[in-house]
Amino acid sequence: MVRGRLRVLLGAAPGVGKTYTMLEEGARLKAEGRDVVVAVVETHGRAATAALVGGLEVLPRLASQHRGVELTEMDADGVVARRPDIALVDELAHTNAPGSRNEKRWQDVLDLLEAGVDVISTVNVQHIESLSDVVEQITGAPQRETIPDAILRSADQIEVVDLAPQALRDRLAEGNVYPAARIDAALSNYFRLGNLTALRELALLWLADEVESALKAYRAEKGIDSTWEARERVVVALTGGPEGETLIKRGARIAARSAGGDLIAVHVSRQDGLADSHPGALAAQRALVEKLGGSYHQVVGDDVPRSLVAFAKSMNATQLVLGVSRRSRLAALLTGPGIGATVIRESGSIDVHIVSHSRAGGRFTLPRPGGALTLRRRIVGLVLALVLGPLVTLLLTAVRSDDTLTSDVLVYQLLVVIVALVGGIWPALIAAVLSGLTLDFFFVQPIHSVTIDRPLHLLALALYVVNGLLVSYVVDQAARRSRSAARALAESELLATVAGSVLRGQDALAALVSRTREVFGLTSVRVLAEGRVVTEVGQADRDDRVTTLPTGTHGTLELRGPDLAAAEQRLLAVIAAQVDAALERSALRQAADEVEPLAQADQMRTALLAAVGHDLRRPLAAATAAVTGLRSPGVEWTPADRDELLATASESLESLATLVTNLLDVSRVQAGVLAVSLAAVDVDDVILGSLDELGLGPDEVELGLAYALPAALADGVLLQRVVVNLLDNAVRHSPADVRVRVAASHFDGRVELRVADHGPGIVADRRDEVFVPFQRLGDTDNTTGLGLGLALSRGFTEGMGGTLDAEDTPGGGLTMVVSLPVAGVSVAGVSVAGAPVAASPDPAPPEGAAS
């Protein structure tokens, strides 16, 4: 029997159209004459999906009882007995009812495939086993129903049913995915724009990896070794040297230039196991690669360049990044072409980047202002004089004749110039003297004697010495100027670095100290302020010389290491000034952090005083006018007029009493400082208390509270004032026959309380105006609120470390969203222990939800 084929439609989230696409495909295949049945489909109440089901044959399900509830599942045996060409099976990751033959629906599908039935099924990326923890991290909702990756990868065909995140949110808001009661919570939790974008990327990347695996299998099967540039794959070769960080960042930039580019780092180690790199440096570079989203690999091979090229070809790489060789030209001349040249020759169609790097060969240090030529160059020059002199003499004596004296003189003169160019004045002087004596001994009559019997010979020897001195002087001056220019360049780079470090802000001090230790070759550098160590880099040795340099008015710079030259002391003065500026900046930042709570308190106090000033004037004026009218001796009031005036006075005085109650609630904010009392607050209790205060019942308010809602970090009294004000506004502006919805949920460490009405709403560009004091819809009577307004509500909320924002209500209206941190999360330097953050099933879509 031929095994059936499995085709899976993969979606990023519920509602993208997987089920609809599956049913459309079933209808198309049926129209082509194929025998298609619906084994199991969940329409979730969607009319368009149900209409498509109506045109196909639907097989009956198996019914069972579990704890008094009737459950229905796909009848796999019935499908096999019916033997259709194609069976449509929705929700591949679904868990079957207890007592079923198989625990999971995908196991039923395997039985159908073994029976020779082709299957078209659907699954969401959230249900892929290897991605379930990533999805939970993104959405905050755990996934209980998963399907093994191996089962999904074994499918004959996998297709992504894609829908833009905003389009999916629009579908959800229009009621095309969930019932109206669940729309608000879904939009604000699982179906956030960022969540959907991340889930969409996960789905596309998972399928891209699957496609890549299939491509590798095909290339291996067909023996294809050439590179197929389906997407950029950048391989970075690491040696463990200091240039590794530069190469990794360059490779990451190259990979980022094309969508979906891969960054791959590789280190080739020798087969004999001998250490040829620094393990610590490789570990740090591996961490950097993974931080940039790349992968790290290590291969073994004695022939490094060919192993590197073989690895790049096996990864189907399009780019190969190498560092420029750290070998000298002489070493390259003696040992042949380096790794870079061999890789370029062997790479074939792979582009090779040879990257220059300033850190190769050692760390950045300032050139010493001392001698022009280094001791190494002098030694090399002396060695050339002592080695090339005898070699030249052997060569010239072998072809010596009376006619070759002139050429012999020129050859020795060239030797003196070469030694002067390499080693400077002293090796050139030695070479000149030795060359003159050698010429006189081997080539000038009488041979084999150093007798200078003619003044011309003495002049020749003097000319050798003079020429050597002149050439070496020019070389010495050129080297001195070159060193001065290099030092000036290094000093400029150092000054630009320290200035930029201060401008960058918080890490300026650490950057300055680290750079100072590096460029001056010190063992340790630390900054002290008020007798304490602010920052320190390096490990001090007891034998190190200690140099202390005041930075100004804020601290001291302590240096440990070798003595510093006068020119370096000048640079240290500049660095000390920058350190002082960084310390001052740090002190200002600390002062700003201390002032921030006072600024928040002042913001709330300003809103409070403005609201109180407004609300006191109006009810006082109304009450005064009513009482004054009643006491007027010249006016005869009818009983109805007297009752109306008394009602006006009573209403105004009640408004004043309520306002005074609010002021007493915030009496702890007197003296210009708002001392908010943060604690773990049960949001459910606050909502119920607010409903009791306003006298609202089930006919006016609908509650949607999440299960196991964690406590919020808030001031209970202030939070109730906010909720009362929001509820009062929502009830006032909602139609009489439509209930206000109050929902509470949590996501990503925050508790959200949403008060939604179905009134006229507010256009998006005018929403900020409602948070300006006294922006009311109507202000002509005493029933439009207390006058504290949404401005005071936002001020209270922000004082508690939260936010208050306005959003559209799906279907029309306005939703006010109060967001507060979960208790136990540090806010503005305050941490309050509370209920643990418990995962709530409310924000998540139903397990096995399909579209």
Side-chain angles (χ1 to χ4, degrees), residues 541-806:
D541 194 311
R542 288 182 298 178
D543 299 330
D544 287 336
R545 179 179 177 83
V546 180
T547 303
T548 302
L549 183 67
T551 62
T553 59
H554 295 88
T556 303
L557 192 63
E558 186 180 279
L559 314 172
R560 293 178 179 267
D563 292 336
L564 301 177
E568 293 171 335
Q569 294 285 353
R570 175 175 57 84
L571 281 176
L572 273 178
V574 177
I575 293 176
Q578 297 288 1
V579 169
D580 189 63
L583 287 172
E584 183 178 8
R585 184 186 183 93
S586 178
L588 291 174
R589 189 187 311 114
Q590 184 176 0
D593 291 341
E594 294 174 355
V595 170
E596 184 177 358
L598 299 178
Q600 292 179 352
D602 185 68
Q603 177 186 3
M604 295 188 61
R605 181 186 61 174
T606 302
L608 178 63
L609 292 178
V612 168
H614 177 273
D615 284 342
L616 281 174
R617 275 194 302 270
R618 193 185 58 173
L620 274 175
T624 301
V627 174
T628 301
L630 289 172
R631 296 186 62 187
S632 298
V635 179
E636 291 291 337
W637 300 100
T638 66
D641 291 337
R642 289 178 61 85
D643 290 342
E644 185 175 351
L645 288 174
L646 287 172
T648 300
S650 176
E651 186 178 303
S652 299
L653 291 174
E654 286 179 3
S655 178
L656 282 174
T658 306
L659 179 58
V660 171
T661 300
N662 286 339
L663 293 176
L664 291 176
D665 288 340
V666 293
S667 60
R668 58 188 180 277
V669 302
Q670 55 189 337
V673 177
L674 178 63
V676 180
S677 179
L678 294 179
V681 175
D682 190 333
V683 176
D684 294 352
D685 291 344
V686 172
I687 293 173
L688 295 177
S690 302
L691 294 175
D692 289 342
E693 182 175 335
L694 293 173
L696 299 176
D699 57 332
E700 296 169 292
V701 177
E702 174 189 355
L703 295 180
L705 306 180
Y707 172 74
L709 187 70
L713 183 61
D715 184 311
V717 175
L718 292 182
L719 181 57
Q720 184 158 331
R721 299 269 59 78
V722 172
V723 176
V724 166
N725 187 45
L726 297 181
L727 276 171
D728 189 44
N729 287 339
V731 171
R732 185 182 309 115
H733 297 303
S734 281
D737 57 342
V738 179
R739 292 187 297 173
V740 171
R741 177 174 173 80
V742 180
S745 60
H746 73 96
F747 179 81
D748 196 22
R750 298 188 73 83
V751 175
E752 288 192 351
L753 192 154
R754 311 174 75 86
V755 180
D757 65 58
H758 293 277
I762 302 175
V763 294
D765 57 354
R766 298 199 60 187
R767 283 180 192 156
D768 288 339
E769 296 180 13
V770 302
F771 297 105
V772 177
F774 322 123
Q775 295 295 316
R776 311 186 195 181
L777 296 179
D779 195 16
T780 58
D781 56 54
N782 285 342
T783 65
T784 56
L786 300 176
L788 295 177
L790 291 174
L792 187 56
S793 297
R794 173 174 273 188
F796 284 162
T797 306
E798 291 177 351
M800 293 182 288
T803 59
L804 174 60
D805 298 299

Side-chain angles (χ1 to χ4, degrees), residues 464-500:
Y464 275 121
V465 175
V466 171
N467 287 340
L469 289 175
L470 291 176
V471 173
S472 61
Y473 175 78
V474 172
V475 171
D476 187 79
Q477 289 298 312
R480 192 179 300 275
R481 291 190 177 93
S482 175
R483 181 170 290 248
S484 298
R487 181 173 180 82
L489 178 62
E491 290 179 358
S492 300
E493 181 183 347
L494 173 61
L495 293 177
T497 300
V498 296

Side-chain angles (χ1 to χ4, degrees), residues 258-281:
S258 63
D262 288 340
L263 174 64
I264 305 166
V266 61
H267 170 68
V268 180
S269 57
R270 296 171 56 184
Q271 292 182 357
D272 56 15
L274 296 178
D276 56 356
S277 60
H278 194 285

Side-chain angles (χ1 to χ4, degrees), residues 360-377:
R363 60 186 182 182
F364 170 77
T365 57
L366 290 176
R368 294 291 176 182
L373 293 178
T374 63
L375 178 62
R376 180 180 177 182
R377 284 189 62 175

Side-chain angles (χ1 to χ4, degrees), residues 234-238 244 247-248 251-252 263-267 308 319-321:
V234 182
V235 172
V236 178
L238 300 178
L247 300 181
I248 292 168
L263 174 64
I264 305 166
V266 61
H267 170 68
L308 187 58
Q319 312 273 350
L320 188 53
V321 179

